[in-house]
Amino acid sequence: MTQEKLIAMVLGHAVGDALGVPVESETRMRLESNPVTEMLGYGVHNQPPGSWSGDTSLTIATMESMTRLKKFDYEDIFRNFVDWYSGDKFTANDYTFDFDPITSEAINNFLKGYHPLDCGISDEYSNENGALIRMIPAAAYIFLTRGNNFDDNAMKIIHNYTSLTHAHQRTLIACGIYCLIAAEIFDGQNLQVAISNGVNRAKIFYSTHENFKDEWFHYEIFLDKDFAAIPEKNIPSRVYVVDNLKAALWCLLNTDNYKDLVLKAVNLGGDTDTVAAIAGGLAGAFYGLEQIPTEWLDVLKKKDYLIKIAADFYDVFN
């Protein structure tokens, strides 16, 4: 894994996020007749072109904390989340928008004095995507410090970080799958192999661990040999964490370059910014900076700031 790969991952995530922001919650039918083909602005959240959402804010808030302290410190990460939530920090335009209700509830639990690892919401209805969108720091930290050795201790780090906000086992599994796929990409595997290897490694871990085995079935379809051939109409793109990860992986398997990938993700409709951010980060790491369109990077808000966050993180943990 190189510094450039991590920078491309962060920028790929942010660009996908920004492409989806103006059309978040638009229906697939509407986007089929008027698809997104370029970096737009305003729209649903009335933000200028290149504006990324909390999906990217929470990622870089975590990376800033870890870089400054040279470790995972869950309390300090939460303080950065509070600075985003109520102080407009770590934002594209010094303005916080698009609050995830589960993350908001967890932040409020922290402000009430709960221990960081007790703040997350653990009921079945909390299985939204607000933790999945910020997994880059966990995946990169483990790979940089341990290599592609995601043992029980590494998985515990992923699960603890996830459960700061979203603590149900189903979401913990989704975040574990993401990190294992990312590790395979960091290790140099091609995209199809990285996804296959990552999901298979997840199955070995989750289907044999008592706390997770009853939830693994939600992800079994990812191992289906015909997964990539599922018709688009059968790929939901709601905020539900299983659907978000499914849509992101399906888009990755049905495109062969960064630009087509993020446009396909956005034009699924629904949770456009999140599906494109999740898929875009993995695609950025795989395809590299050179495949992210220059015209999109040129309007991306605070691009140099995002590059510095990623570069400093790499330098600390490499």
Side-chain angles (χ1 to χ4, degrees):
M1 182 187 183
T2 63
Q3 185 187 80
E4 183 176 314
K5 189 179 285 285
L6 183 57
I7 291 171
M9 191 177 200
V10 171
L11 293 182
H13 178 105
V15 166
D17 185 2
L19 279 167
V21 161
V23 293
E24 186 181 16
S25 301
E26 291 283 7
T27 66
R28 189 171 304 180
M29 184 178 296
R30 182 187 178 285
L31 290 172
E32 283 173 353
S33 61
N34 187 27
V36 174
T37 60
E38 60 185 338
M39 186 71 78
L40 303 174
Y42 305 101
V44 173
H45 294 290
N46 197 34
Q47 298 296 303
S51 300
W52 29 271
S53 73
D55 296 11
T56 300
S57 295
L58 294 173
T59 298
I60 60 174
T62 302
M63 295 179 82
E64 189 282 333
S65 169
M66 293 178 66
T67 301
R68 175 167 37 82
L69 298 181
K70 299 180 173 57
K71 64 178 181 178
F72 255 117
D73 184 304
Y74 301 122
E75 187 168 337
D76 192 75
I77 289 170
F78 251 126
R79 291 195 195 101
N80 276 4
F81 287 1
V82 170
D83 286 343
W84 162 78
Y85 183 66
S86 58
D88 298 325
K89 196 172 178 183
F90 308 108
T91 57
N93 300 302
D94 302 318
Y95 173 73
T96 303
F97 66 95
D98 193 24
F99 292 99
D100 158 29
I102 306 300
T103 299
S104 298
E105 185 175 350
I107 290 172
N108 282 315
N109 284 341
F110 177 74
L111 291 171
K112 293 174 186 175
Y114 288 32
H115 186 278
L117 294 179
D118 294 329
C119 290
I121 317 307
S122 60
D123 63 71
E124 187 172 5
Y125 299 101
S126 70
N127 284 306
E128 297 185 359
N129 52 37
L132 183 61
I133 51 91
R134 54 175 169 83
M135 282 298 118
I136 290 175
Y141 167 76
I142 292 167
F143 193 87
L144 287 170
T145 57
R146 299 165 180 255
N148 199 0
N149 175 28
F150 280 57
D151 58 13
D152 283 9
N153 288 330
M155 299 304 288
K156 184 177 180 180
I157 291 170
I158 295 167
H159 298 152
N160 282 346
Y161 175 53
T162 301
S163 67
L164 294 181
T165 55
H166 297 67
H168 192 275
Q169 286 88 344
R170 198 174 309 161
T171 294
L172 303 186
I173 293 173
C175 294
I177 292 172
Y178 175 97
C179 290
L180 287 165
I181 291 171
E184 293 290 321
I185 293 173
F186 296 156
D187 211 25
Q189 301 294 340
N190 73 49
L191 202 51
Q192 290 74 21
V193 171
I195 291 172
S196 176
N197 286 356
V199 177
N200 272 292
R201 291 173 69 185
K203 179 178 182 178
I204 292 169
F205 181 87
Y206 291 114
S207 66
T208 59
H209 278 66
E210 192 65 32
N211 289 343
F212 297 103
K213 65 181 183 180
D214 291 341
E215 288 288 332
W216 171 254
F217 76 93
H218 292 283
Y219 300 94
E220 195 69 42
I221 193 173
F222 295 0
L223 291 170
D224 192 312
K225 62 182 177 60
D226 297 320
F227 174 67
I230 295 173
E232 182 178 297
K233 66 181 181 180
N234 295 333
I235 300 294
S237 49
R238 302 171 297 176
V239 297
Y240 178 42
V241 69
V242 179
D243 287 347
N244 253 238
L245 185 57
K246 180 180 180 180
L249 298 183
W250 183 86
C251 289
L252 284 161
L253 291 169
N254 280 284
T255 51
D256 61 6
N257 62 83
Y258 178 87
K259 181 177 182 178
D260 288 347
L261 172 278
V262 289
L263 290 177
K264 181 177 280 292
V266 168
N267 287 311
L268 288 177
D271 200 10
T272 52
D273 56 334
T274 300
V275 176
I278 294 166
L282 293 172
F286 179 72
Y287 291 116
L289 276 172
E290 63 275 8
Q291 277 218 20
I292 303 176
T294 303
E295 63 270 23
W296 294 352
L297 288 173
D298 286 346
V299 298
L300 185 68
K301 297 299 181 182
K302 298 185 180 177
K303 179 185 71 175
D304 291 342
Y305 169 64
L306 296 175
I307 291 172
K308 185 175 185 340
I309 288 275
D312 289 350
F313 184 96
Y314 181 91
D315 289 342
V316 164
F317 294 110
N318 181 35

